[in-house]
Amino acid sequence: MASSSTHRASSSTTSISRNYDVFLSFRGGDTRRNFTDHLYTTLTASGIQTFRDDEELEKGGDIASDLSRAIEESRWCLNELVKIIERKSQKESVVLLPIFYHVDPSDVRNQRGSFGDALACHERDANQEKKEMIQKWRIALRKAANLCGCHVDDQYETEVVKEIVNTIIRRLNHQPLSVGKNIVGISVHLEKLKSLMNTELNKVRVIGICGTGGVGKTTIAKAIYNEISCQYDGSSFLKNMRERSKGDILQLQQELLHGILRGKFFKINNVDEGISMIKRCLSSNRVLIIFYDVDELKQLEYLAEEKDWFQAKSTIIITSRDKHVLARYGVDIPYEVSKLNKEEAIELFSLWAFKQNHPKKVYKNLSYNIIDYANGLPLALKVLGASLFGKKISEWESALCKLKIIPHMEIHNVLRISFDGLDDIDKGIFLDVACFFKGDDKDFVSRILGAHAKHGITTLDDRCLITVSKNMLDMHDLIQQMGWEIIRQECPKDPGRRSRLWDSNAYHVLMRNTGTRAIEGLFLDRCKFNPSHLTTESFKEMNKLRLLKIHNPRRKLFLENHLPRDFEFSSYELRYLHWDGYPLKSLPMNFHAKNLVELSLRDSNIKQVWKGNKLHDKLRVIDLSHSVHLIRIPGFSSVPNLEILTLEGCVSLELLPRGIYKWKHLQTLSCNGCSKLERFPEIKGNMRKLRVLDLSGTAIMDLPSSITHLNGLQTLLLEECSKLHKIPSYICHLSSLKVLNLGHCNMMEGGIPSDICYLSSLQKLNLEGGHFSSIPPTINQLSRLKALNLSHCNNLEQIPELPSRLRLLDAHGSNRTSSRAPYFPLHSLVNCFSWAQDSKRTSFSDSSYHGKGTCIVLPGSDGIPEWIMDRENIHFAEAELPQNWHQNNEFLGFAICCVYAPLASESEDIPEKESAHGSKNESANNSEDESAHTWENETDDESVAESFRKNEHKHTHSCHLRCALDMIGDGVEVVDRPCFQSNCFCYKEDKDEDNESVSGQTWVICYPKAAIPERFCSDQWTHSGFTFFDFYINSEKVLKVKECGIRLIYSQDLQQSHEDADVRICRACRRDGTLRRKCCFKDSDMNEVPIIENPSELDSLCLRDCRNLTSLPSSIFGFKSLATLSCSGCSQLESFPEILQDMESLRKLFLDGTAIKEIPSSIQRLRVLQYLLLRSKNLVNLPESICNLTSFKTLVVESCPNFKKLPDNLGRLQSLLHLSVGPLDSMNFQLPSLSGLCSLRALNLQGCNLKGISQGNHFSRIPDGISQLYNLEDLDLGHCKMLQHIPELPSGLWCLDAHHCTSLENLSSQSNLLWSSLFKCFKSQIQRVIFVQQREFRGRVKTFIAEFGIPEWISHQKSGFKITMKLPWSWYENDDFLGFVLCFLYVPLEIETKTPWCFNCKLNFDDDSAYFSYQSDQFCEFCYDEDASSQGCLMYYPKSRIPKSYHSNEWRTLNASFNVYFGVKPVKVARCGFHFLYAHDYEQNNLTIVQRRSCDTSSALEDTNTDVERSCDGTTLNIDGNGVDAQDHEMDHMGNGVDAQDHEMDHMHRWLELLCKFIHWICCTRH
């Protein structure tokens, strides 16, 4: 192991006269005189000071002490492997290079082979101290093997030595670039870039870092250079290329050569000589070169003109504001730097403005306003934060007001660099977008601005001045403000002389008639500025006006608008005219806008657009929506090139032009809501470009047969055409049709033709509110159909067979009266498991689904479909997957189901633990979950058409159903979060009695196996689970999960056409979906097992509750495929037959509720047995041969009162995960050694008569102790009433249940071994992640304790269920402070029904309503049979679980409240407490440290009234809640007097507090 430092060590004054660059760590003589010696010699010959343990020791000196001193006094501080790894984590300058000399690194990493054998040998007879050391060895070996090192095997050793020495030289010569201070969020960028680079590929990698000015390209480039430059033969960082390339090219070439040749200097005389030298050097060395701020390719012409100059595995990084430059050079990996998120922005601004990572309380609102203004731009956050540091509040307010008018010039100048590099045309496009079109559709803007606009927009995107996302134009707020400032500077004093006007400036210019010919665009929001009287004079001088928009965003708000009848437009250059509420009956007579492209006169008073026949051949779009007086529209001769015509809500329009077919360019025609329009004209020719036709809400009764000429039509909307009762059959010939909406069309029986299957392109079909009872079965042939809406189809009797690609079926609200046939038969899904759908959002009409699989929403009155047998009355359903499920072709997937029922808003129906709206914590989680699914907006013609659709049902609430799919194995991982959303009218807030309402909903998801990600396709994942969530619609009505279910689907299930399967199958067999060929005899009165046909094919035999059965035939073990045998409840079964031959399939054996006396030794023939459940009053012991079952995972021996002994060789069951024994009445029960149970995770000894589980008690021996069960997570010792002592626990334990252990020794004492053991578990698990029941625990440990009350060592206690603590100063960065113990005592209710207890601890800081919580539950049968007594629970809570947003001294007062529920009934919490935990607790200075912590009264603040704190001598001290906290409060609210001196006062306060602690500690220890 070679270790080096990135900086040279300074001289030392110790006995070792010098320090070292490299510490050469090795052991043994096998490499001392060959490889290690060669390496040492080469290092020293290269001038590298190297230490090795046999040369630098003084003669006669003590090797250990000299060696230790040499290491400790050198800066890399290395002694042995553990020390090396520890110091590596502490010092970033230490570099470790492991050398695996003829050793496989994987053997070291996985500790197998000789490594594993040696460690196991050491552990065998080791004491506890040595075991802990061995564990450290294991960790260190694993970490060392994970480092990037050198594997010496068959290579030439001289080459390996050379490579190692070169690596060390690069490290030592590496001079990091300064990235500045207060850097936030850089690690995310570095990780992304390193993952994209993939330096293992044998090719030159070119990375382009692009982004707008001030976004952090410089910082990222320097940071990545510092991170990876030492991995190359040479490296160079050439900065400011844009400016420097205008000067001395020769200087740049020399600087490049100096870097790639590791500091060597070569004089070059001219540029051509430099090019030749650079080519030679680049082709012979693996180099890293960063060119910073390149905006033209010619800047690289003399330095690195082509990638071919470089050697393979070299890396070139170019930063630029121009993405096009990067693309032209041939960038492989473009990386666009994104702005900071909200949390990062707050931290960065606060570091510059307050020298801390969070705003001061009194400045919080102002800080957030400025952070919002900066919008995540690092430059702005830094500049503004630094400029406001130390300023008073009044100065902050003044600065903020100024920023709203004029930008900060330092920021403005940086951003303007990109603008100044544009040509005049692109500058104009940029200013148009900045002033008028931010947030608009790219195609719309390109159409308005002209033919050159598309290229210009691309240029702006390349220069990072705008972004194009989902075809929408956007730009950073500060870049937009930069554009505004450029316009303002055109004429600062007179807005009328500026080129572009909007809002207040536009209003004043219009009202004062001060406009000039300089004005090219004018946009006015009439909701903000409403000029009620305009005249011709207002526009008279604006003869160059191109863009005019007078709009009313709140279209339902009536605004007066008056124009004189003689009003005229003076500009002939208009390209865009948008005037909402235009008051005249037509456009002026002088209107000759030959360049007009779009005309929008929404909500106008217009009757006809213009008088006479005027030609506007450039006009592409006309929008006259809701012009209620419109009776005539322009014909083809006036607008021959029309593309979009919108007539929505024109209620006076009765006819469309007969020559409508002449509009060959027409793409969209919307007549939605034209209630007098009774017919659609004949189509006499092909209109190939028409994509969207919206006739919703018209009086049309039929469509002409010539509609088939619309052979390009993709969307046909006929919703609420109440006179349309059937679909004309000729519509089925529209082969391009993708969307057909017939919702609420009074569609009658037979109105859907069977020829609908010919709509081969159809993707979305809406039949909502239809009156038909059946749908043609040919609908299953619509192979591209994704969404089908059958909601509120009250007469529909059965869901038909569904198409193969269907993703959403919404059939809610169908209050059908007939129930002759199943509404949703299983065979309807025959096509739904054939392919893996993507998880993109599928939406249509009022419904949408996000997630994989097929979403089906049914009426809640039908409940769970009959074919789903496995049902639960809770939110969670789980199913065991079949063996080798991922390769089983018969297994197709699973169907899950949940029934939601509405509840009235009565307080008794809603548990007290949640409000009617759900907890704040839940709300936060919901938003986080939803944000995780970014739903892509669809940009097809349907979205264009549906934007015209006007929904008359307002004030609706969105019904939102959510579900989480988990895969369960060694852990639990979320695979998918499906969600369904509906905005149907039946959720109206103000619906009357006549409106339909939803009585409930049934949600079914068909989830194909193919949709499960490939990483889960292994036998490691044995179960799948689904969690459904309640949904709160509003405060008066809530959808609550009533029950849920799951069924595994096999190919043969879908081949059945009737629901006659599983008639003879009991519920337990139905629930086991992993088995297909079942034979069930449950509740049979047979005396013996009958002859079974084809027994070799049987995989499940159920004999449950066959109470007359006395024996099993031996032939039963000849069933070669048998996987499950259940004899549960066979109360007369006394013997289990000998197993005469090996069984390779039987995995589960249920013998609970039998009278079996012994298990035969031949049980070892059940080679793959995994699960054995025994419950028999006669059973005494188990055979030793059971320990030969290498696949055994679960052993349960319950309610066996005479059971005395488990097998002595139990430790051989290395695959055992769960062991449960108890309750036992026997006083002679012996627990054998558990050593060897290396996989055991759960040990349940509940109700056993134990005196202890350590050597010397009732058990014969446990030589290795329970502490060796390193994977043990859950230990249940509840109701072990003779248990007196709990030994040291394994470090992986997270839950210990010892309630009702009435003989346990005093647990109140701090010195009790249990608490030190649990503390070690807590420290160990801070670094671990454990997933339990869909919740993630990081470092938490919980303990249920006996009824002794809260332990005395819990230093802060009080009565009631709430307590307040004040965290230590700088708790969030104090490595010594680990977290705290929370403890509470509750009094159980006297109950009869067996229901779990639920524990909930809520934590929140003062002045913050949001909380973070910890929840758990407990179920114990014995507690229902005994007298209720107080019980307690301790939770070890790490500080790392406190959200990072609270990591500040501002957040120190933490409130904890404890709630216990039995079901939904609250239980009284009698007492609670907390205790701080520090890293050095329970070490040699145990008592002193504990006393010091307990006496730290200034670190903990109690509630008033009964609050007490225990001091060191056991006396109680009253705590004043207004002490230090009041002082903090006063300092935080000093208003304008708070300035830069606050930081110094904070330091003074901290030192005073530490001094008080020290004095208090001295007093306590003396006392």
Side-chain angles (χ1 to χ4, degrees), residues 1102-1143:
C1102 174
L1103 303 172
R1104 291 181 175 89
D1105 298 323
C1106 295
R1107 294 177 175 83
N1108 296 328
L1109 187 67
T1110 57
S1111 63
L1112 295 174
S1114 297
S1115 60
I1116 203 171
F1117 300 110
F1119 297 1
K1120 294 298 184 182
S1121 300
L1122 193 65
T1124 298
L1125 173 59
S1126 176
C1127 300
S1128 302
C1130 296
S1131 55
Q1132 300 299 317
L1133 186 63
E1134 295 185 350
S1135 63
F1136 194 79
E1138 289 288 340
I1139 305 168
L1140 304 179
Q1141 53 185 313
D1142 290 347
M1143 292 192 70

Short mmCIF file of all heavy atoms in Angstrom, two decimals, residues 1102-1143:
data_model
loop_
_atom_site.label_atom_id
_atom_site.label_comp_id
_atom_site.label_asym_id
_atom_site.label_seq_id
_atom_site.Cartn_x
_atom_site.Cartn_y
_atom_site.Cartn_z
N CYS A 1102 -53.61 -28.98 -0.37
CA CYS A 1102 -54.15 -28.32 0.81
C CYS A 1102 -55.06 -29.29 1.56
O CYS A 1102 -56.07 -29.76 1.03
CB CYS A 1102 -54.92 -27.07 0.40
SG CYS A 1102 -55.79 -26.27 1.77
N LEU A 1103 -54.69 -29.58 2.83
CA LEU A 1103 -55.49 -30.44 3.71
C LEU A 1103 -55.93 -29.66 4.95
O LEU A 1103 -56.14 -30.24 6.02
CB LEU A 1103 -54.66 -31.66 4.12
CG LEU A 1103 -54.12 -32.51 2.95
CD1 LEU A 1103 -53.15 -33.57 3.47
CD2 LEU A 1103 -55.25 -33.16 2.18
N ARG A 1104 -56.07 -28.37 4.81
CA ARG A 1104 -56.39 -27.52 5.95
C ARG A 1104 -57.72 -27.95 6.60
O ARG A 1104 -58.70 -28.21 5.91
CB ARG A 1104 -56.48 -26.05 5.54
CG ARG A 1104 -55.16 -25.42 5.15
CD ARG A 1104 -55.34 -23.96 4.78
NE ARG A 1104 -54.07 -23.31 4.52
CZ ARG A 1104 -53.46 -23.27 3.32
NH1 ARG A 1104 -54.03 -23.85 2.29
NH2 ARG A 1104 -52.30 -22.66 3.18
N ASP A 1105 -57.68 -27.99 7.95
CA ASP A 1105 -58.89 -28.24 8.75
C ASP A 1105 -59.59 -29.55 8.40
O ASP A 1105 -60.81 -29.67 8.53
CB ASP A 1105 -59.87 -27.06 8.60
CG ASP A 1105 -59.28 -25.76 9.12
OD1 ASP A 1105 -58.56 -25.82 10.14
OD2 ASP A 1105 -59.52 -24.71 8.52
N CYS A 1106 -58.82 -30.54 7.93
CA CYS A 1106 -59.36 -31.89 7.77
C CYS A 1106 -59.23 -32.58 9.14
O CYS A 1106 -58.23 -33.29 9.40
CB CYS A 1106 -58.62 -32.65 6.67
SG CYS A 1106 -58.85 -31.94 5.03
N ARG A 1107 -60.18 -32.36 10.02
CA ARG A 1107 -60.04 -32.71 11.44
C ARG A 1107 -60.12 -34.21 11.70
O ARG A 1107 -59.82 -34.67 12.80
CB ARG A 1107 -61.09 -31.96 12.25
CG ARG A 1107 -60.86 -30.45 12.25
CD ARG A 1107 -61.94 -29.69 13.01
NE ARG A 1107 -61.62 -28.28 13.07
CZ ARG A 1107 -61.87 -27.41 12.10
NH1 ARG A 1107 -62.45 -27.83 10.99
NH2 ARG A 1107 -61.54 -26.14 12.24
N ASN A 1108 -60.55 -35.00 10.71
CA ASN A 1108 -60.61 -36.45 10.88
C ASN A 1108 -59.39 -37.16 10.30
O ASN A 1108 -59.25 -38.38 10.43
CB ASN A 1108 -61.88 -37.02 10.23
CG ASN A 1108 -63.14 -36.50 10.91
OD1 ASN A 1108 -63.13 -36.25 12.12
ND2 ASN A 1108 -64.21 -36.34 10.15
N LEU A 1109 -58.53 -36.39 9.66
CA LEU A 1109 -57.35 -36.99 9.04
C LEU A 1109 -56.35 -37.39 10.12
O LEU A 1109 -55.94 -36.56 10.93
CB LEU A 1109 -56.72 -35.99 8.06
CG LEU A 1109 -55.56 -36.50 7.20
CD1 LEU A 1109 -56.07 -37.56 6.22
CD2 LEU A 1109 -54.90 -35.34 6.45
N THR A 1110 -55.94 -38.66 10.13
CA THR A 1110 -55.05 -39.17 11.18
C THR A 1110 -53.65 -39.47 10.67
O THR A 1110 -52.72 -39.59 11.47
CB THR A 1110 -55.64 -40.43 11.80
OG1 THR A 1110 -55.85 -41.41 10.77
CG2 THR A 1110 -56.97 -40.12 12.48
N SER A 1111 -53.48 -39.61 9.36
CA SER A 1111 -52.15 -39.95 8.85
C SER A 1111 -52.01 -39.46 7.41
O SER A 1111 -53.01 -39.19 6.73
CB SER A 1111 -51.92 -41.45 8.91
OG SER A 1111 -52.85 -42.13 8.07
N LEU A 1112 -50.76 -39.40 6.99
CA LEU A 1112 -50.45 -39.04 5.61
C LEU A 1112 -49.76 -40.23 4.95
O LEU A 1112 -48.91 -40.88 5.58
CB LEU A 1112 -49.51 -37.83 5.56
CG LEU A 1112 -50.06 -36.50 6.09
CD1 LEU A 1112 -48.94 -35.46 6.11
CD2 LEU A 1112 -51.20 -36.02 5.21
N PRO A 1113 -50.08 -40.53 3.71
CA PRO A 1113 -49.41 -41.64 3.02
C PRO A 1113 -47.98 -41.24 2.63
O PRO A 1113 -47.73 -40.09 2.27
CB PRO A 1113 -50.29 -41.87 1.79
CG PRO A 1113 -50.91 -40.53 1.52
CD PRO A 1113 -51.12 -39.91 2.87
N SER A 1114 -47.08 -42.22 2.68
CA SER A 1114 -45.70 -41.94 2.27
C SER A 1114 -45.61 -41.61 0.80
O SER A 1114 -44.68 -40.92 0.36
CB SER A 1114 -44.81 -43.15 2.58
OG SER A 1114 -44.77 -43.38 3.97
N SER A 1115 -46.59 -42.09 0.05
CA SER A 1115 -46.55 -41.84 -1.40
C SER A 1115 -46.69 -40.37 -1.74
O SER A 1115 -46.38 -39.95 -2.86
CB SER A 1115 -47.68 -42.62 -2.08
OG SER A 1115 -48.95 -42.20 -1.56
N ILE A 1116 -47.11 -39.60 -0.77
CA ILE A 1116 -47.31 -38.17 -1.03
C ILE A 1116 -45.99 -37.50 -1.40
O ILE A 1116 -45.96 -36.49 -2.10
CB ILE A 1116 -47.97 -37.49 0.20
CG1 ILE A 1116 -48.68 -36.21 -0.22
CG2 ILE A 1116 -46.94 -37.18 1.28
CD1 ILE A 1116 -49.50 -35.61 0.88
N PHE A 1117 -44.89 -38.09 -0.93
CA PHE A 1117 -43.60 -37.50 -1.22
C PHE A 1117 -43.04 -37.93 -2.56
O PHE A 1117 -41.90 -37.63 -2.90
CB PHE A 1117 -42.62 -37.82 -0.09
CG PHE A 1117 -43.10 -37.27 1.23
CD1 PHE A 1117 -43.55 -38.12 2.24
CD2 PHE A 1117 -43.14 -35.91 1.45
CE1 PHE A 1117 -44.01 -37.62 3.44
CE2 PHE A 1117 -43.61 -35.41 2.66
CZ PHE A 1117 -44.05 -36.25 3.65
N GLY A 1118 -43.85 -38.64 -3.30
CA GLY A 1118 -43.49 -38.95 -4.68
C GLY A 1118 -44.05 -37.95 -5.66
O GLY A 1118 -43.83 -38.07 -6.86
N PHE A 1119 -44.79 -36.96 -5.14
CA PHE A 1119 -45.32 -35.91 -6.00
C PHE A 1119 -44.16 -34.97 -6.36
O PHE A 1119 -43.80 -34.08 -5.60
CB PHE A 1119 -46.42 -35.13 -5.28
CG PHE A 1119 -47.63 -35.95 -4.91
CD1 PHE A 1119 -47.71 -37.31 -5.21
CD2 PHE A 1119 -48.71 -35.37 -4.27
CE1 PHE A 1119 -48.82 -38.06 -4.88
CE2 PHE A 1119 -49.84 -36.11 -3.93
CZ PHE A 1119 -49.90 -37.46 -4.23
N LYS A 1120 -43.60 -35.18 -7.53
CA LYS A 1120 -42.34 -34.54 -7.88
C LYS A 1120 -42.42 -33.01 -7.99
O LYS A 1120 -41.44 -32.32 -7.79
CB LYS A 1120 -41.83 -35.12 -9.22
CG LYS A 1120 -41.44 -36.59 -9.16
CD LYS A 1120 -40.28 -36.79 -8.18
CE LYS A 1120 -39.83 -38.25 -8.20
NZ LYS A 1120 -38.73 -38.48 -7.22
N SER A 1121 -43.60 -32.49 -8.30
CA SER A 1121 -43.73 -31.03 -8.48
C SER A 1121 -44.30 -30.33 -7.26
O SER A 1121 -44.46 -29.11 -7.27
CB SER A 1121 -44.62 -30.73 -9.70
OG SER A 1121 -44.08 -31.27 -10.87
N LEU A 1122 -44.60 -31.09 -6.21
CA LEU A 1122 -45.26 -30.51 -5.05
C LEU A 1122 -44.37 -29.44 -4.40
O LEU A 1122 -43.24 -29.73 -3.99
CB LEU A 1122 -45.60 -31.59 -4.03
CG LEU A 1122 -46.56 -31.18 -2.90
CD1 LEU A 1122 -47.93 -30.85 -3.47
CD2 LEU A 1122 -46.66 -32.27 -1.86
N ALA A 1123 -44.89 -28.23 -4.30
CA ALA A 1123 -44.15 -27.12 -3.72
C ALA A 1123 -44.68 -26.71 -2.36
O ALA A 1123 -43.93 -26.20 -1.52
CB ALA A 1123 -44.16 -25.91 -4.66
N THR A 1124 -45.97 -26.93 -2.10
CA THR A 1124 -46.58 -26.54 -0.83
C THR A 1124 -47.46 -27.68 -0.32
O THR A 1124 -48.30 -28.20 -1.05
CB THR A 1124 -47.44 -25.28 -0.99
OG1 THR A 1124 -46.61 -24.19 -1.42
CG2 THR A 1124 -48.10 -24.89 0.32
N LEU A 1125 -47.25 -28.02 0.95
CA LEU A 1125 -48.10 -29.01 1.62
C LEU A 1125 -48.61 -28.39 2.91
O LEU A 1125 -47.83 -28.00 3.78
CB LEU A 1125 -47.31 -30.29 1.93
CG LEU A 1125 -48.03 -31.35 2.77
CD1 LEU A 1125 -49.32 -31.81 2.10
CD2 LEU A 1125 -47.11 -32.52 3.07
N SER A 1126 -49.93 -28.25 3.02
CA SER A 1126 -50.51 -27.63 4.20
C SER A 1126 -51.40 -28.62 4.93
O SER A 1126 -52.38 -29.12 4.38
CB SER A 1126 -51.33 -26.39 3.80
OG SER A 1126 -51.95 -25.85 4.94
N CYS A 1127 -51.05 -28.88 6.20
CA CYS A 1127 -51.87 -29.71 7.08
C CYS A 1127 -52.37 -28.89 8.26
O CYS A 1127 -52.64 -29.44 9.34
CB CYS A 1127 -51.06 -30.91 7.57
SG CYS A 1127 -50.49 -31.98 6.24
N SER A 1128 -52.45 -27.61 8.10
CA SER A 1128 -52.88 -26.72 9.18
C SER A 1128 -54.27 -27.12 9.67
O SER A 1128 -55.19 -27.32 8.87
CB SER A 1128 -52.91 -25.27 8.70
OG SER A 1128 -51.65 -24.87 8.22
N GLY A 1129 -54.41 -27.25 10.99
CA GLY A 1129 -55.71 -27.54 11.57
C GLY A 1129 -56.12 -28.99 11.52
O GLY A 1129 -57.26 -29.32 11.87
N CYS A 1130 -55.21 -29.88 11.10
CA CYS A 1130 -55.52 -31.32 11.11
C CYS A 1130 -55.26 -31.82 12.53
O CYS A 1130 -54.19 -32.38 12.84
CB CYS A 1130 -54.66 -32.07 10.09
SG CYS A 1130 -54.99 -31.58 8.39
N SER A 1131 -56.21 -31.62 13.41
CA SER A 1131 -56.00 -31.81 14.85
C SER A 1131 -55.80 -33.26 15.26
O SER A 1131 -55.33 -33.53 16.36
CB SER A 1131 -57.17 -31.20 15.62
OG SER A 1131 -58.40 -31.74 15.16
N GLN A 1132 -56.17 -34.24 14.39
CA GLN A 1132 -55.98 -35.66 14.73
C GLN A 1132 -54.71 -36.23 14.12
O GLN A 1132 -54.41 -37.41 14.34
CB GLN A 1132 -57.19 -36.46 14.21
CG GLN A 1132 -58.52 -36.03 14.79
CD GLN A 1132 -58.56 -36.18 16.31
OE1 GLN A 1132 -58.09 -37.20 16.85
NE2 GLN A 1132 -59.10 -35.19 16.99
N LEU A 1133 -53.98 -35.42 13.39
CA LEU A 1133 -52.76 -35.91 12.74
C LEU A 1133 -51.63 -35.98 13.76
O LEU A 1133 -51.14 -34.96 14.22
CB LEU A 1133 -52.37 -34.98 11.58
CG LEU A 1133 -51.20 -35.41 10.70
CD1 LEU A 1133 -51.50 -36.72 9.99
CD2 LEU A 1133 -50.84 -34.32 9.70
N GLU A 1134 -51.22 -37.19 14.13
CA GLU A 1134 -50.24 -37.39 15.21
C GLU A 1134 -48.86 -37.74 14.70
O GLU A 1134 -47.89 -37.64 15.47
CB GLU A 1134 -50.73 -38.47 16.15
CG GLU A 1134 -52.01 -38.10 16.90
CD GLU A 1134 -52.39 -39.16 17.92
OE1 GLU A 1134 -51.77 -40.24 17.89
OE2 GLU A 1134 -53.30 -38.89 18.73
N SER A 1135 -48.74 -38.21 13.50
CA SER A 1135 -47.43 -38.62 13.00
C SER A 1135 -47.20 -38.08 11.60
O SER A 1135 -48.13 -37.89 10.84
CB SER A 1135 -47.30 -40.14 13.01
OG SER A 1135 -48.24 -40.71 12.11
N PHE A 1136 -45.94 -37.87 11.32
CA PHE A 1136 -45.54 -37.43 9.99
C PHE A 1136 -44.75 -38.57 9.36
O PHE A 1136 -43.82 -39.10 9.98
CB PHE A 1136 -44.67 -36.17 10.10
CG PHE A 1136 -44.49 -35.46 8.79
CD1 PHE A 1136 -45.49 -34.64 8.28
CD2 PHE A 1136 -43.33 -35.62 8.05
CE1 PHE A 1136 -45.33 -33.98 7.08
CE2 PHE A 1136 -43.16 -34.96 6.84
CZ PHE A 1136 -44.17 -34.14 6.35
N PRO A 1137 -45.09 -38.99 8.15
CA PRO A 1137 -44.47 -40.19 7.57
C PRO A 1137 -43.00 -40.00 7.24
O PRO A 1137 -42.53 -38.88 7.07
CB PRO A 1137 -45.31 -40.42 6.31
CG PRO A 1137 -45.82 -39.07 5.94
CD PRO A 1137 -46.06 -38.36 7.24
N GLU A 1138 -42.30 -41.12 7.17
CA GLU A 1138 -40.92 -41.10 6.72
C GLU A 1138 -40.88 -40.68 5.25
O GLU A 1138 -41.73 -41.06 4.44
CB GLU A 1138 -40.29 -42.49 6.87
CG GLU A 1138 -40.03 -42.88 8.29
CD GLU A 1138 -38.87 -42.09 8.91
OE1 GLU A 1138 -38.05 -41.54 8.12
OE2 GLU A 1138 -38.78 -42.00 10.14
N ILE A 1139 -39.87 -39.93 4.92
CA ILE A 1139 -39.70 -39.44 3.55
C ILE A 1139 -38.70 -40.37 2.89
O ILE A 1139 -37.51 -40.38 3.23
CB ILE A 1139 -39.22 -37.99 3.55
CG1 ILE A 1139 -40.20 -37.13 4.37
CG2 ILE A 1139 -39.09 -37.45 2.14
CD1 ILE A 1139 -39.71 -35.76 4.67
N LEU A 1140 -39.18 -41.18 1.96
CA LEU A 1140 -38.39 -42.28 1.42
C LEU A 1140 -37.53 -41.88 0.23
O LEU A 1140 -36.68 -42.67 -0.19
CB LEU A 1140 -39.34 -43.44 1.02
CG LEU A 1140 -40.24 -43.96 2.14
CD1 LEU A 1140 -41.14 -45.06 1.62
CD2 LEU A 1140 -39.40 -44.45 3.32
N GLN A 1141 -37.75 -40.73 -0.32
CA GLN A 1141 -36.95 -40.31 -1.47
C GLN A 1141 -36.80 -38.79 -1.43
O GLN A 1141 -37.58 -38.09 -0.80
CB GLN A 1141 -37.59 -40.75 -2.78
CG GLN A 1141 -39.04 -40.32 -2.94
CD GLN A 1141 -39.68 -40.88 -4.19
OE1 GLN A 1141 -39.09 -40.82 -5.25
NE2 GLN A 1141 -40.87 -41.46 -4.03
N ASP A 1142 -35.77 -38.31 -2.10
CA ASP A 1142 -35.52 -36.88 -2.12
C ASP A 1142 -36.64 -36.15 -2.85
O ASP A 1142 -37.17 -36.62 -3.85
CB ASP A 1142 -34.20 -36.58 -2.83
CG ASP A 1142 -33.01 -37.04 -2.00
OD1 ASP A 1142 -33.21 -37.35 -0.82
OD2 ASP A 1142 -31.89 -37.11 -2.55
N MET A 1143 -37.00 -34.99 -2.28
CA MET A 1143 -37.99 -34.12 -2.92
C MET A 1143 -37.30 -32.81 -3.28
O MET A 1143 -36.76 -32.11 -2.41
CB MET A 1143 -39.18 -33.83 -2.00
CG MET A 1143 -40.05 -35.05 -1.73
SD MET A 1143 -41.62 -34.58 -0.95
CE MET A 1143 -42.44 -33.75 -2.31
#
